[in-house]
Amino acid sequence: MVVSALDGWTPQDNDIFEEIWECPTSLQGGTASYSNGSLSSSKIAQVPSILVINKVDTASPTSVILPEKVSNAFSTIVPTCAPQSVGLKNLEAALLKLVGFGEVTTGGRQWAANQRQAEQLLRASEALERVKASAQQDFPIDMWTVDLKEAAIALGQISGDDVTEELLSSIFSRFCIGK
């Protein structure tokens, strides 16, 4: 989840947070703290997740006051400034850690365990690029679902997770799509 350092935690952010977790009362108490250029939660989140506080060039990330349940929901909180590339390496490291790769150095190198996985990564990447293009062209969200589904299936092929129709129905249940 991404929030603006300039705007702080807004009611809209809270709505998005509630929608993502759908069960905010299950979260434990705690606080977020700022040290050595990155924020981290004092307790491990129940669901691995990252909160990105962007636009730190306009306001300090410490000025973002997070509700207690929010600061505990994220396993990592990373301050960034996208245009100035501040914190992007920390974000990359947090993403790698989140998916279980820990200290993998990418350094612009391409890698995959085998040819099939490389093909699925390419398929997922191309599908996500189409989603990005649809978003930039202000297409309705329900138009994105075909490409999102393709990306999810491709990534499931890599991880071994079966992306069933039931899972896809759950993911896309909030979209109004004609059958």
Side-chain angles (χ1 to χ4, degrees):
M1 184 170 176
V2 179
V3 298
S4 166
L6 183 61
D7 298 334
W9 186 261
T10 67
Q12 293 82 10
D13 293 329
N14 201 60
D15 291 344
I16 293 168
F17 175 82
E18 298 277 339
E19 185 68 26
I20 291 171
W21 272 266
E22 291 184 336
C23 144
T25 57
S26 68
L27 300 175
Q28 302 291 322
T31 59
S33 60
Y34 183 78
S35 65
N36 300 328
S38 66
L39 287 164
S40 62
S41 178
S42 64
K43 293 192 178 182
I44 301 300
Q46 292 179 346
V47 176
S49 55
I50 299 170
L51 176 64
V52 177
I53 301 178
N54 198 25
K55 301 183 182 178
V56 296
D57 58 324
T58 61
S60 170
T62 58
S63 67
V64 177
I65 307 300
L66 299 174
E68 189 173 315
K69 65 182 179 184
V70 172
S71 64
N72 290 315
F74 295 97
S75 52
T76 305
I77 302 175
V78 181
T80 64
C81 173
Q84 297 176 6
S85 299
V86 172
L88 297 185
K89 292 284 186 192
N90 291 340
L91 179 57
E92 180 182 14
L95 286 167
L96 288 171
K97 182 178 178 185
L98 182 89
V99 297
F101 287 119
E103 296 293 322
V104 174
T105 56
T106 55
R109 291 181 214 111
Q110 297 180 356
W111 58 270
N114 60 43
Q115 181 65 31
R116 181 191 62 80
Q117 290 176 336
E119 290 169 0
Q120 295 305 318
L121 285 171
L122 181 61
R123 179 178 161 206
S125 176
E126 289 170 349
L128 291 172
E129 285 297 323
R130 289 191 302 272
V131 170
K132 181 180 173 183
S134 295
Q136 290 172 338
Q137 294 175 17
D138 290 327
F139 287 166
I141 291 176
D142 57 340
M143 300 288 285
W144 309 356
T145 58
V146 172
D147 293 321
L148 284 173
K149 179 178 178 179
E150 183 176 342
I153 290 170
L155 293 172
Q157 291 287 322
I158 295 167
S159 67
D161 293 330
D162 186 23
V163 182
T164 63
E165 280 301 317
E166 181 180 314
L167 175 61
L168 292 172
S169 293
S170 173
I171 292 169
F172 297 121
S173 66
R174 290 178 178 74
F175 297 105
C176 179
I177 303 170
K179 298 209 176 205

PDB file of all heavy atoms in Angstrom, residues 89 92-93 96-97 99-107 109 111:
ATOM      1  N   LYS A  89      15.848   1.271  -3.556  1.00  0.00           N
ATOM      2  CA  LYS A  89      16.636   0.065  -3.258  1.00  0.00           C
ATOM      3  C   LYS A  89      16.071  -0.629  -2.015  1.00  0.00           C
ATOM      4  O   LYS A  89      15.985  -1.852  -1.965  1.00  0.00           O
ATOM      5  CB  LYS A  89      18.113   0.406  -3.040  1.00  0.00           C
ATOM      6  CG  LYS A  89      18.817   0.874  -4.290  1.00  0.00           C
ATOM      7  CD  LYS A  89      19.114  -0.271  -5.212  1.00  0.00           C
ATOM      8  CE  LYS A  89      19.948   0.249  -6.369  1.00  0.00           C
ATOM      9  NZ  LYS A  89      20.039  -0.726  -7.434  1.00  0.00           N
ATOM     10  N   GLU A  92      12.923  -2.353  -3.075  1.00  0.00           N
ATOM     11  CA  GLU A  92      13.251  -3.586  -3.800  1.00  0.00           C
ATOM     12  C   GLU A  92      13.641  -4.686  -2.814  1.00  0.00           C
ATOM     13  O   GLU A  92      13.179  -5.823  -2.930  1.00  0.00           O
ATOM     14  CB  GLU A  92      14.375  -3.336  -4.796  1.00  0.00           C
ATOM     15  CG  GLU A  92      14.773  -4.568  -5.571  1.00  0.00           C
ATOM     16  CD  GLU A  92      15.930  -4.320  -6.541  1.00  0.00           C
ATOM     17  OE1 GLU A  92      16.613  -3.284  -6.442  1.00  0.00           O
ATOM     18  OE2 GLU A  92      16.141  -5.190  -7.401  1.00  0.00           O
ATOM     19  N   ALA A  93      14.455  -4.349  -1.838  1.00  0.00           N
ATOM     20  CA  ALA A  93      14.886  -5.336  -0.837  1.00  0.00           C
ATOM     21  C   ALA A  93      13.688  -5.831  -0.028  1.00  0.00           C
ATOM     22  O   ALA A  93      13.581  -7.034   0.259  1.00  0.00           O
ATOM     23  CB  ALA A  93      15.940  -4.729   0.080  1.00  0.00           C
ATOM     24  N   LEU A  96      11.695  -8.233  -2.186  1.00  0.00           N
ATOM     25  CA  LEU A  96      12.379  -9.522  -2.292  1.00  0.00           C
ATOM     26  C   LEU A  96      12.234 -10.323  -0.994  1.00  0.00           C
ATOM     27  O   LEU A  96      11.988 -11.528  -1.026  1.00  0.00           O
ATOM     28  CB  LEU A  96      13.852  -9.328  -2.649  1.00  0.00           C
ATOM     29  CG  LEU A  96      14.121  -8.882  -4.086  1.00  0.00           C
ATOM     30  CD1 LEU A  96      15.582  -8.498  -4.268  1.00  0.00           C
ATOM     31  CD2 LEU A  96      13.717  -9.964  -5.073  1.00  0.00           C
ATOM     32  N   LYS A  97      12.353  -9.641   0.120  1.00  0.00           N
ATOM     33  CA  LYS A  97      12.201 -10.313   1.413  1.00  0.00           C
ATOM     34  C   LYS A  97      10.766 -10.811   1.579  1.00  0.00           C
ATOM     35  O   LYS A  97      10.542 -11.919   2.064  1.00  0.00           O
ATOM     36  CB  LYS A  97      12.570  -9.357   2.544  1.00  0.00           C
ATOM     37  CG  LYS A  97      12.496  -9.983   3.909  1.00  0.00           C
ATOM     38  CD  LYS A  97      12.920  -9.022   4.990  1.00  0.00           C
ATOM     39  CE  LYS A  97      12.792  -9.658   6.358  1.00  0.00           C
ATOM     40  NZ  LYS A  97      13.077  -8.708   7.426  1.00  0.00           N
ATOM     41  N   VAL A  99       8.664 -11.822  -0.655  1.00  0.00           N
ATOM     42  CA  VAL A  99       8.375 -13.019  -1.448  1.00  0.00           C
ATOM     43  C   VAL A  99       9.334 -14.160  -1.140  1.00  0.00           C
ATOM     44  O   VAL A  99       9.303 -15.185  -1.804  1.00  0.00           O
ATOM     45  CB  VAL A  99       8.353 -12.711  -2.970  1.00  0.00           C
ATOM     46  CG1 VAL A  99       7.256 -11.735  -3.301  1.00  0.00           C
ATOM     47  CG2 VAL A  99       9.682 -12.206  -3.466  1.00  0.00           C
ATOM     48  N   GLY A 100      10.201 -13.965  -0.153  1.00  0.00           N
ATOM     49  CA  GLY A 100      11.039 -15.057   0.310  1.00  0.00           C
ATOM     50  C   GLY A 100      12.407 -15.169  -0.317  1.00  0.00           C
ATOM     51  O   GLY A 100      13.068 -16.186  -0.177  1.00  0.00           O
ATOM     52  N   PHE A 101      12.874 -14.142  -1.005  1.00  0.00           N
ATOM     53  CA  PHE A 101      14.186 -14.213  -1.622  1.00  0.00           C
ATOM     54  C   PHE A 101      15.269 -13.557  -0.784  1.00  0.00           C
ATOM     55  O   PHE A 101      16.438 -13.654  -1.109  1.00  0.00           O
ATOM     56  CB  PHE A 101      14.173 -13.583  -3.019  1.00  0.00           C
ATOM     57  CG  PHE A 101      13.464 -14.430  -4.028  1.00  0.00           C
ATOM     58  CD1 PHE A 101      12.343 -13.946  -4.667  1.00  0.00           C
ATOM     59  CD2 PHE A 101      13.912 -15.703  -4.325  1.00  0.00           C
ATOM     60  CE1 PHE A 101      11.680 -14.728  -5.593  1.00  0.00           C
ATOM     61  CE2 PHE A 101      13.252 -16.492  -5.243  1.00  0.00           C
ATOM     62  CZ  PHE A 101      12.133 -15.994  -5.885  1.00  0.00           C
ATOM     63  N   GLY A 102      14.896 -12.866   0.279  1.00  0.00           N
ATOM     64  CA  GLY A 102      15.887 -12.259   1.161  1.00  0.00           C
ATOM     65  C   GLY A 102      16.883 -11.383   0.441  1.00  0.00           C
ATOM     66  O   GLY A 102      16.524 -10.478  -0.279  1.00  0.00           O
ATOM     67  N   GLU A 103      18.150 -11.678   0.587  1.00  0.00           N
ATOM     68  CA  GLU A 103      19.227 -10.858   0.052  1.00  0.00           C
ATOM     69  C   GLU A 103      19.645 -11.264  -1.358  1.00  0.00           C
ATOM     70  O   GLU A 103      20.787 -11.577  -1.611  1.00  0.00           O
ATOM     71  CB  GLU A 103      20.437 -10.926   0.995  1.00  0.00           C
ATOM     72  CG  GLU A 103      20.197 -10.351   2.371  1.00  0.00           C
ATOM     73  CD  GLU A 103      19.978  -8.850   2.346  1.00  0.00           C
ATOM     74  OE1 GLU A 103      20.641  -8.145   1.552  1.00  0.00           O
ATOM     75  OE2 GLU A 103      19.145  -8.367   3.124  1.00  0.00           O
ATOM     76  N   VAL A 104      18.720 -11.276  -2.289  1.00  0.00           N
ATOM     77  CA  VAL A 104      19.058 -11.583  -3.676  1.00  0.00           C
ATOM     78  C   VAL A 104      19.503 -10.301  -4.352  1.00  0.00           C
ATOM     79  O   VAL A 104      18.818  -9.288  -4.290  1.00  0.00           O
ATOM     80  CB  VAL A 104      17.839 -12.163  -4.437  1.00  0.00           C
ATOM     81  CG1 VAL A 104      18.159 -12.337  -5.905  1.00  0.00           C
ATOM     82  CG2 VAL A 104      17.409 -13.475  -3.819  1.00  0.00           C
ATOM     83  N   THR A 105      20.672 -10.310  -4.960  1.00  0.00           N
ATOM     84  CA  THR A 105      21.123  -9.133  -5.696  1.00  0.00           C
ATOM     85  C   THR A 105      20.708  -9.282  -7.142  1.00  0.00           C
ATOM     86  O   THR A 105      21.096 -10.243  -7.805  1.00  0.00           O
ATOM     87  CB  THR A 105      22.655  -8.960  -5.602  1.00  0.00           C
ATOM     88  OG1 THR A 105      23.263 -10.153  -6.079  1.00  0.00           O
ATOM     89  CG2 THR A 105      23.090  -8.690  -4.178  1.00  0.00           C
ATOM     90  N   THR A 106      19.900  -8.341  -7.609  1.00  0.00           N
ATOM     91  CA  THR A 106      19.429  -8.424  -8.985  1.00  0.00           C
ATOM     92  C   THR A 106      20.397  -7.718  -9.906  1.00  0.00           C
ATOM     93  O   THR A 106      20.741  -8.231 -10.954  1.00  0.00           O
ATOM     94  CB  THR A 106      18.029  -7.829  -9.125  1.00  0.00           C
ATOM     95  OG1 THR A 106      18.046  -6.499  -8.624  1.00  0.00           O
ATOM     96  CG2 THR A 106      17.012  -8.658  -8.383  1.00  0.00           C
ATOM     97  N   GLY A 107      20.844  -6.529  -9.559  1.00  0.00           N
ATOM     98  CA  GLY A 107      21.848  -5.809 -10.329  1.00  0.00           C
ATOM     99  C   GLY A 107      21.607  -5.798 -11.824  1.00  0.00           C
ATOM    100  O   GLY A 107      22.551  -5.813 -12.595  1.00  0.00           O
ATOM    101  N   ARG A 109      20.579  -8.137 -13.601  1.00  0.00           N
ATOM    102  CA  ARG A 109      20.696  -9.463 -14.195  1.00  0.00           C
ATOM    103  C   ARG A 109      19.329 -10.124 -14.253  1.00  0.00           C
ATOM    104  O   ARG A 109      18.513  -9.954 -13.370  1.00  0.00           O
ATOM    105  CB  ARG A 109      21.638 -10.336 -13.360  1.00  0.00           C
ATOM    106  CG  ARG A 109      23.065  -9.871 -13.441  1.00  0.00           C
ATOM    107  CD  ARG A 109      23.961 -10.790 -12.624  1.00  0.00           C
ATOM    108  NE  ARG A 109      24.997  -9.950 -12.069  1.00  0.00           N
ATOM    109  CZ  ARG A 109      25.118  -9.650 -10.789  1.00  0.00           C
ATOM    110  NH1 ARG A 109      24.301 -10.150  -9.909  1.00  0.00           N
ATOM    111  NH2 ARG A 109      26.076  -8.859 -10.381  1.00  0.00           N
ATOM    112  N   TRP A 111      17.169 -13.636 -14.189  1.00  0.00           N
ATOM    113  CA  TRP A 111      17.339 -14.974 -13.680  1.00  0.00           C
ATOM    114  C   TRP A 111      16.003 -15.674 -13.603  1.00  0.00           C
ATOM    115  O   TRP A 111      14.965 -15.054 -13.438  1.00  0.00           O
ATOM    116  CB  TRP A 111      18.020 -14.986 -12.310  1.00  0.00           C
ATOM    117  CG  TRP A 111      17.285 -14.204 -11.280  1.00  0.00           C
ATOM    118  CD1 TRP A 111      17.439 -12.889 -10.983  1.00  0.00           C
ATOM    119  CD2 TRP A 111      16.234 -14.671 -10.436  1.00  0.00           C
ATOM    120  NE1 TRP A 111      16.562 -12.508 -10.008  1.00  0.00           N
ATOM    121  CE2 TRP A 111      15.812 -13.583  -9.648  1.00  0.00           C
ATOM    122  CE3 TRP A 111      15.607 -15.892 -10.265  1.00  0.00           C
ATOM    123  CZ2 TRP A 111      14.794 -13.691  -8.703  1.00  0.00           C
ATOM    124  CZ3 TRP A 111      14.598 -16.000  -9.333  1.00  0.00           C
ATOM    125  CH2 TRP A 111      14.211 -14.900  -8.565  1.00  0.00           C
TER     126      TRP A 111
END
